[in-house]
Amino acid sequence: MARTAVAAPSGFENSDAEALYNEGVTMFDSGDFEGALEKVEASLAIETTAKSLYAQAQSLNKLDRCREAVPIYNDV
């Protein structure tokens, strides 16, 4: 049986969620993957977007937490 996923919106409606996401991306780009994950998960607690889910999966992947990342990649 095929699984149908409902896509999360790609853009932000909440400015606080967007600001946390942007902080997470900056931390990711500087190599602070744990910090990035914390910021992105804080963003996700406010609002779920495809961008933030993908950033969460990428951070988990960089932290060698691939088993947690794969289901998120599959849902994005």
Side-chain angles (χ1 to χ4, degrees):
M1 178 185 286
R3 186 174 126 182
T4 304
V6 176
S10 60
F12 290 92
E13 292 182 12
N14 184 289
S15 61
D16 292 335
E18 185 172 19
L20 286 164
Y21 165 82
N22 288 333
E23 288 178 43
V25 169
T26 298
M27 295 174 105
F28 184 93
D29 289 344
S30 71
D32 180 3
F33 306 121
E34 191 66 48
L37 181 60
E38 289 176 19
K39 292 293 182 179
V40 168
E41 287 181 341
S43 173
L44 283 164
I46 298 169
E47 178 182 6
T48 301
T49 66
K51 290 168 65 168
S52 54
L53 287 169
Y54 184 76
Q56 180 187 36
Q58 288 288 86
S59 296
L60 288 166
N61 185 40
K62 289 290 191 177
L63 293 167
D64 292 325
R65 293 168 56 185
C66 298
R67 289 182 191 254
E68 295 172 68
V70 169
I72 298 168
Y73 282 127
N74 289 334
D75 287 343
V76 174

